[in-house]
């Protein structure tokens, strides 16, 4: 769902409504992911929601794409485990820093 809504939001004719749909998808994932054993995905989607809350259509595309692809990779790695969790934490830390930096400046 996240990749599909992101693809729609990247279309040249994308509107604020398309970005709202992307935010809603990320928000829903934030709530559901821990229940399925994917805390890193929840963290990534929470960071994406923060970014999207201050993004207009056409802005921050590379950083949004990094979040979407990181969520995909975290899901592909499978539910939480020590090795995958430490890598996911490093990715989350880096993306959260980038979002904070982007929103501050």
């Amino acid at each position: 769902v996240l990749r599909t809504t992101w693809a729609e939001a990247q279309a040249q004719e994308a509107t604020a409504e398309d970005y709202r749909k992307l935010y809603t998808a990320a928000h829903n994932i934030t709530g559901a992911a821990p229940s399925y054993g994917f805390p890193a995905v929840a963290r990534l989607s929470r960071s994406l929601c923060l970014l999207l809350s201050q993004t207009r259509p056409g802005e921050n595309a590379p950083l949004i794409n990094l979040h979407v692809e990181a969520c995909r990779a975290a899901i592909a790695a499978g539910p939480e485990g020590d090795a995958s969790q430490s890598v996911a934490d490093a990715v989350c830390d880096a993306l959260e820093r980038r979002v904070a930096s982007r929103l501050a400046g």
Side-chain angles (χ1 to χ4, degrees), residues 16 18 82:
D18 293 311
D82 291 339

Side-chain angles (χ1 to χ4, degrees), residues 9 30 35 40 46 48-49 53 69 82 87 92 104:
T30 300
S35 299
R46 187 176 313 112
L48 178 56
C49 284
S53 71
E69 291 304 316
D82 291 339
V87 171
C92 290

Side-chain angles (χ1 to χ4, degrees), residues 52-67:
L52 289 169
S53 71
Q54 298 185 37
T55 297
R56 289 185 293 254
E59 294 179 342
N60 299 317
L63 193 49
I64 294 168
N65 194 62
L66 284 171
H67 280 80

Side-chain angles (χ1 to χ4, degrees), residues 14-25:
T15 64
E17 177 65 17
D18 293 311
Y19 271 66
R20 188 196 63 74
K21 288 177 185 177
L22 179 59
Y23 176 92
T24 299

